Amino acid sequence: MKIKSTLLIGAACIGIIACETNTYTEQDRLTATANLNAFVDSVETSLKTTPTHDWSAIDSRFDSLESRADKVYKDLKMEITEIELIETRYETAIENAKRIEENFQKNCRNASSKHRKVVGNHFQGTYCHQS
């Protein structure tokens, strides 16, 4: 009986230790952070070159990458400050781009011809499309 109790207690201790083992590694954290950062970089580049965007697709991909990064950081019990900084950068870029897109669409609606070339610092060579 004493041996059985000792074995059960030993098995329980091993189970607890196994449950506390991190699922993710430091490399997973670096990869998740790099993927999120690279996506925000590409979004920022795209926002500078194209006046209109598929916001739901962009937000969906960001949310997916951010969720993965949050899981990794939480599993490793690390502060998510770096993720929050990337998220702030993303939100700022999106807000600015939405304002620019709104102005672009407004200018297109006000255009006197069906396809008027937009000239300016952004979107040179871009044409307004009537919907």
Side-chain angles (χ1 to χ4, degrees):
M1 185 73 163
K2 191 172 186 178
I3 294 173
K4 234 182 193 181
S5 297
T6 304
L7 288 175
L8 286 174
I9 291 171
C13 289
I14 290 172
I16 291 171
I17 292 169
C19 289
E20 289 184 14
T21 303
N22 294 339
T23 306
Y24 299 103
T25 65
E26 178 64 14
Q27 185 58 47
D28 292 327
R29 183 189 70 79
L30 294 172
T31 300
T33 304
N35 288 344
L36 187 60
N37 210 17
F39 179 74
V40 173
D41 288 345
S42 69
V43 166
E44 287 175 331
T45 299
S46 175
L47 297 177
K48 292 176 186 173
T49 59
T50 310
T52 58
H53 306 279
D54 182 353
W55 298 113
S56 61
I58 292 170
D59 285 338
S60 176
R61 180 66 179 143
F62 178 81
D63 291 344
S64 170
L65 291 169
E66 182 187 32
S67 175
R68 165 82 174 154
D70 284 342
K71 285 178 191 173
V72 172
Y73 274 69
K74 185 176 182 179
D75 184 66
L76 295 174
K77 296 175 177 60
M78 298 190 73
E79 292 290 323
I80 60 169
T81 307
E82 190 171 5
I83 301 296
E84 290 171 343
L85 291 172
I86 295 170
E87 181 180 12
T88 299
R89 200 174 105 217
Y90 171 77
E91 289 172 351
T92 301
I94 295 297
E95 287 172 14
N96 290 338
K98 285 183 178 181
R99 271 195 302 279
I100 290 169
E101 181 179 5
E102 186 179 299
N103 288 336
F104 178 80
Q105 295 296 342
K106 187 170 121 181
N107 288 337
C108 285
R109 285 190 297 274
N110 293 334
S112 59
S113 64
K114 205 171 195 183
H115 298 286
R116 176 178 225 166
K117 188 172 183 175
V118 177
V119 180
N121 294 337
H122 301 290
F123 319 130
Q124 263 185 338
T126 303
Y127 293 86
C128 296
H129 297 284
Q130 299 291 327
S131 35

